[in-house]
Amino acid sequence: MPKHYTDFLAKHGIKSTHQRNLVLDLLHQMNSPASAEEIYQKAALLQPTLNLSTIYRTLELFSSKNIVTKTILSETKKAIYELNTAGHKHYMVCVKCKALLPLENCPCALIEEAVSSQGGFEIIGHKLEIMGYCSRCK
Amino acid sequence: MPKHYTDFLAKHGIKSTHQRNLVLDLLHQMNSPASAEEIYQKAALLQPTLNLSTIYRTLELFSSKNIVTKTILSETKKAIYELNTAGHKHYMVCVKCKALLPLENCPCALIEEAVSSQGGFEIIGHKLEIMGYCSRCK
DNA sequence: ATCAGTGCAAAAGCTTTGCAGCGGT
DNA sequence: ACCGCTGCAAAGCTTTTGCACTGAT
């Protein structure tokens, strides 16, 4: 049973369990955000009794603790999750092959600056999604 | 039966029907995007036999003809629709009262400029959503 | 009269939830 | 031993779809 994250989880006030450690393991192995279903598929290979709803509950929990970020893709309306390791919060989505390409230099500052001129609104975050064709599909 | 939009619809290669005229009427009256359900509620007051699926089909049709724009709000995962009258494509969403405040000066140019430096990706559009507190909820 | 549009009901797809039993500290 | 976590099954919610009837031109 993977317990590598017991301390890490405790630091966030979360109990360590087999399932949570497994999900954390998988999140660390991924190089791009994945849907609950995708995470479930990988997890089920290692622990077949594991349930999809546990994945959802775990991801929701991690999300509430800011361990992972949750993004809704507007095209599919599906949520994708990834570790919240600073940076990489926006993606370019290829409308053809559905590839997700991280936006290295997020123009956050530019956006919030441009918007803040509209007084009265206190910005706490933003979502940005770029649609187009990746280099292979173009 | 409202027929005011017969010519307008014909111009887009769409037949004029009672339901479509009604939806167009309502879209014109709205001052902010609405969900299919909201449009349905208003429409049902005027034509009780009208069905939700007709609203969805009509909005999808209008969307495919670029008469309306469809936006997925990430918080609720629900689609909202509005007339595609140039500008007003992004919103600030109040996380408390759910108010939608249009972004007058969309930093599109800034964004696409900042992103285009990552060669190889051909941008055809983008989605931007600002989260925060509106002046009343702050 | 023809063929698209519509109402109705059911299905689909992702996500959430109630409950009883299991498992971690 | 206690209380939260999990598996299972079912429900929820928005949106889509099949089908037969209706209605617009």
Side-chain angles (χ1 to χ4, degrees):
Chain A
M1 167 183 334
K3 286 205 163 199
H4 342 154
Y5 301 105
T6 304
D7 291 348
F8 173 80
L9 289 169
K11 229 175 295 175
H12 287 87
I14 296 177
K15 265 195 202 169
S16 166
T17 70
H18 192 169
Q19 292 84 337
R20 290 173 182 175
N21 280 285
L22 212 184
V23 171
L24 266 184
D25 247 352
L26 293 173
L27 287 168
H28 271 104
Q29 286 167 31
M30 303 182 331
N31 40 19
S32 72
S35 66
E37 180 67 34
E38 287 165 344
I39 294 169
Y40 170 65
Q41 294 298 344
K42 289 186 187 175
L45 294 177
L46 302 170
Q47 189 194 326
T49 64
L50 180 134
N51 195 274
L52 222 203
S53 58
T54 300
I55 299 288
Y56 275 108
R57 279 191 276 234
T58 302
L59 291 171
E60 202 55 39
L61 174 67
F62 288 175
S63 181
S64 75
K65 302 291 185 185
N66 287 311
I67 297 171
V68 311
T69 59
K70 174 184 182 178
T71 307
I72 312 290
L73 291 182
S74 32
E75 200 178 357
T76 59
K77 280 191 165 182
K78 284 169 69 174
I80 53 175
Y81 306 83
E82 71 185 306
L83 281 180
N84 183 14
T85 51
H88 286 201
K89 290 298 183 320
H90 305 302
Y91 291 88
M92 301 188 280
V93 186
C94 179
V95 297
K96 198 168 170 195
C97 73
K98 315 298 177 196
L100 285 179
L101 302 156
L103 214 53
E104 300 302 346
N105 44 352
C106 157
C108 309
L110 291 175
I111 292 169
E112 308 211 340
E113 192 180 321
V115 171
S116 65
S117 57
Q118 281 183 244
F121 196 91
E122 183 188 333
I123 299 171
I124 59 175
H126 64 260
K127 304 264 181 192
L128 175 63
E129 200 177 323
I130 310 273
M131 270 83 64
Y133 295 98
C134 70
S135 50
R136 273 181 309 166
C137 292
K138 193 165 46 179
Chain B
M1 167 188 328
K3 285 203 160 196
H4 340 153
Y5 301 105
T6 305
D7 291 349
F8 173 80
L9 288 169
K11 228 175 295 176
H12 287 86
I14 296 177
K15 267 196 204 166
S16 168
T17 70
H18 192 168
Q19 292 83 339
R20 289 172 183 175
N21 280 284
L22 213 183
V23 171
L24 267 183
D25 247 352
L26 293 172
L27 288 169
H28 271 105
Q29 286 168 31
M30 303 180 332
N31 41 20
S32 73
S35 66
E37 181 67 31
E38 287 166 343
I39 293 169
Y40 170 66
Q41 295 297 344
K42 290 186 188 176
L45 294 177
L46 303 170
Q47 190 194 323
T49 64
L50 181 136
N51 195 273
L52 221 203
S53 58
T54 301
I55 299 288
Y56 274 107
R57 280 191 276 232
T58 302
L59 291 171
E60 202 56 39
L61 175 67
F62 288 174
S63 182
S64 74
K65 303 291 184 182
N66 287 310
I67 296 171
V68 312
T69 59
K70 174 184 182 178
T71 308
I72 312 291
L73 291 182
S74 33
E75 198 178 357
T76 58
K77 281 192 166 182
K78 285 169 68 174
I80 54 175
Y81 305 83
E82 71 185 306
L83 281 180
N84 183 14
T85 51
H88 285 198
K89 291 297 185 318
H90 305 304
Y91 291 88
M92 300 190 282
V93 187
C94 178
V95 297
K96 198 169 171 197
C97 73
K98 313 301 179 195
L100 285 178
L101 301 156
L103 214 54
E104 299 304 345
N105 45 353
C106 155
C108 310
L110 292 174
I111 293 168
E112 308 211 341
E113 193 181 321
V115 171
S116 64
S117 58
Q118 280 182 246
F121 196 90
E122 181 188 332
I123 299 172
I124 59 174
H126 65 260
K127 304 261 182 194
L128 174 63
E129 202 177 322
I130 310 273
M131 269 83 63
Y133 295 98
C134 72
S135 51
R136 275 181 307 169
C137 293
K138 193 164 45 179

